[in-house]
Amino acid sequence: MRRRTLLAGLTGAALLPAAPAPAAEAFHPRRVLHVHPGDSVQAAVDTVDGPGRTIVVHPGTYREVVNIPAEKEELTIRGASRDPRAAVIVYDNANGTPKPDGSGTHGTAGSATFTSAAPGLTVHGLTLANDWLRADHPDITGTQAVAAYVTGDRSHFENVRLLAHQDTLFADTTALDAFDRQYYRHCHIEGDVDFVFGRARAVFDGCRFHTLQRDVTFTPKGMVFAPSTARANPYGFLALRSRITSGAEDAAYKIARPWVPSYETTAWPSLVVRDTWIDPGIDAAAPYTNMRDAYPWQTMRFRERANSGPGAEISVPENRPQLTAEEAALHTPRTYLGNWRPYDRRP
């Protein structure tokens, strides 16, 4: 799948290099900043001088890396159009891509097109993409290429498209012992290998997860989720009222595998998928697999409830652990997010 295919139909605007924003003094006193093609989203972020600011991104394709540091609290970044395909932030770094300064490679987190550690972030009506392709770089073995790396507590993404191949959305936390919360509503997330992964307490409400076709002979071709939840955290990833669709052949993908990182071997991955339609691209008979034999998926906190579709058929019950009705009451947006209730408001 070539880069032009990944971004096909997202916007009619030409690819534009990142450019400086207007002078800082033009932005400094304003609570709403506007970014147009030819401007830089990062320059607008740098100009933000207090909480509660909004950056409006006008239709166009912005080829740049955007990094939102922790001090940019309560920031909103939204597309000017109702269509998230109209404004696209995209870049093409990978784990194994050399850094420009010669200090090594980017690493997985460092490959992200969009990074945020800011608490209270809201992103609405945009596309965030990483269009790096394995086929174009056969010499690079670190093929993870992240679209968004998010760690801040109370991070809210709505009507956002997240596009990449391997490791599209890194939903993580600010520290190993932090239970940072994230909420994704009506988002489209696509990729091929472990493309929703990390340690966050994250709710995916009414989202679409789409697996991509891969030109490989082996199966599984990939997994949708790879949570790495801390053992002390009672909640990891929750997907509800969502859809899992596939561009690959039947049974080519798994729902999940557990990720126990070498830097946090006590992790106890947690994933609940409930009230979700699953198409035949998911292996219904064996929807989970191991990442390492030392951490079998059967020992993890993987559960389902009331899913439907051909990929949700329970033909081998021991391979599809189900929540009881009593357990299901503990796996809701309210229990995962506590006193933060983004599902009660619109951004």
Side-chain angles (χ1 to χ4, degrees), residues 151-153 171-182 198-201 228-235 264:
T151 60
D153 188 38
D172 212 38
T173 63
T174 51
L176 294 180
D177 59 354
F179 298 164
D180 297 318
R181 298 160 294 176
Q182 300 176 19
R199 194 173 52 238
R201 183 184 292 189
S228 57
T229 322
R231 182 169 293 271
N233 193 344
Y235 303 115
E264 192 181 10

Side-chain angles (χ1 to χ4, degrees), residues 33 51 57 111 114 132 136 144 150-151 177 192-193 210-212 218 233 239 241 244 261 269 306 331:
L33 317 178
V57 183
S111 73
F114 182 93
W132 188 91
D136 292 345
Q144 299 87 348
V150 184
T151 60
D177 59 354
D192 53 34
V193 178
H210 185 68
T211 66
L212 298 173
F218 55 79
N233 193 344
R241 298 186 288 265
I244 300 176
H331 294 276

